Amino acid sequence: MRVMMILPALTEATSPLFRPIKYSLFPPLGLATLAGYLPADAEVTLQDEHVTRLRLDGPVPDLVVIQVYITSARRAYQIADHYRALGSYVVLGGLHVTSLPEEAAAHADTIFLGPGEDTWPQFLQDWRRGAARPVYRSTTRTLTHLPPVRRDLIQRQCYLVPNSIVVSRGCPHHCDFCYKDAFFAGGKSFYTQTVDAALAEIDRLPGRHLYFLDDHLFGNRRFAEGLFDGMTGMGRLWQAAGTVDSVLAPDLLERAVAAGLRSLFVGFETVNDTNLAAQRKRQNVGRDYAAVVRRLHDVGVMVNASFVFGMDDDGPDVFDRTVVWAVEAGIETATFHIMTPYPGTALYERMQAQGRMLHRDWDLYDTRHVVFRPHGLTAGQLEAGYWRAYRDFYRWGSIWRGASTKDTLRGRLRHLAYAGGWKKFEPLWNVVIRSRQVLHALPLLEAVLSGFGERRPAEPGRHRPERVAELVG
Ligand code: B12
Ligand code: SF4
């Protein structure tokens, strides 16, 4: 049986002139997970168009498996149509297929809704006896007894962070704009591996650095504590995502740091409380964002702050206010997004009901284009402000100002190297990407994360626990 698994890319990631480093960060973990269920005698190829030019001209596969994100949907359908015309059996799954099954079904023999751990093995059995169904809908959610992820299919040298890992799925929260509730409809929307299985998966990963892609690694306290305690002493250095309230929770952050956490992606989303309430981002409402950043910095964790522009209470001043706040707080890196209502989300339904969606050109649903009619500012102001926010945040002057909030020379250097490294050396990254040796830059990332060799232990005295209790309480 010949199987081809494909992660198509959005147009920007395949540009012959310039490829942003973000597309060479993580390997296609979802497909490598599904590959684990294939029989041992299957001849499997895994192609990621973000890092390689797709080979569609080889021997015709029996089964073609494509993962579809909204921004790569057009490309995914093109590839699907190509292989169906050649006689392959084509299956589509992933977030966009789950949001818009009818659209996807027109390009597939079988589609999958939701996560694949329950439906995919069932399909493989059915397909081999010639009885595959047109639609498989996930309902049983568990991560127990997973086969090992087929990391051998990943071209490690093409990624800066080949050791990306997920040990849970989903998240306990319900923000209006998030993909999560639509994707996990019909079953549990937050569940974890067992701590032992997660630790075993970590043990299988070579090297030192890890990146947890979990939506909310801290979401289940018992699991997180077990994981962090189990990782302590492994000598790992890692990055992850967490929410504002989990950072403020007493003690959990310290355990994560002891286990090797050095940078955290935090969804601040907006510096405006009215917006937070409107988007049901309740876990952020009323939180002291400055205290969140201080607490992370105090334990030596760098902050990657995520912000969304264009919520209904945003006016033209939102860009400057956000950037000034982020720079003054000493945030190392920031990711800005134009609010993008994804089909299937509560936000999309609301915008649609209000007649505010502008078009369905999914290529432009990339969080860099305005696809809805904003309220407090024009679409032009929103796009221009978004680009200006990036420029202003990553000016050398701002990076320097952010760095100077750190109280040690080492801290300042780490800030300069990390913030400058991502955005100021994009052309250099482009050359490295083209040489297909991105992995060689990993020791540099590790050096910066570790503060150039510094192993800064969590110092309980520096966390101002009484202040934290006040904030959480
Ligand atoms: C890592 C990541 C990236 C990485 C790499 C993606 C990759 N290599 O897969 C990078 C940085 C490149 C990236 C870029 C972008 N991303 Co992104 N990313 C993620 C993130 C954080 C994790 C994805 C992951 O690895 N999950 C873990 C694996 C195990 O799960 P999985 O991939 O979903 O696969 C499972 C199921 O989906 C299903 N499945 C998937 N495909 C198939 C196929 C079949 C046949 C079957 C049976 C099952 C199946 O089974 C798998 C196992 O359960 C997600 C958030 C999230 N939690 O999903 C956002 C997310 C996917 N990204 C998103 C967005 C918007 C983007 C960008 C547009 C952002 C931007 N402004 O640049 C770009 C463009 C993406 C593109 N290429 O088109 C959105 C997608 C929205 C949507 N409806 O499609 C998400 C959900 C973030 C969010 N909360 O909004 N992203
Ligand atoms: S906290 Fe993050 S992952 Fe969870 S629902 Fe909100 S946006 Fe989605």
Side-chain angles (χ1 to χ4, degrees), residues 193-231:
Q193 286 187 1
T194 62
V195 170
D196 285 346
L199 292 172
E201 165 88 4
I202 291 167
D203 250 346
R204 284 195 286 272
L205 295 173
R208 191 168 178 215
H209 180 257
L210 306 174
Y211 201 121
F212 288 94
L213 290 174
D214 301 71
D215 284 329
H216 187 5
L217 187 63
F218 299 72
N220 175 333
R221 190 174 174 113
R222 259 190 45 208
F223 171 76
E225 281 178 357
L227 181 72
F228 301 155
D229 292 351
M231 286 179 73

Side-chain angles (χ1 to χ4, degrees), residues 171 173-175 177-180 215 243 269 281 283:
C171 161
H173 300 298
H174 304 278
C175 308
F177 53 79
C178 185
Y179 84 100
K180 190 214 89 162
D215 284 329
T243 55
E269 322 300 8
K281 187 102 194 176
Q283 68 276 19

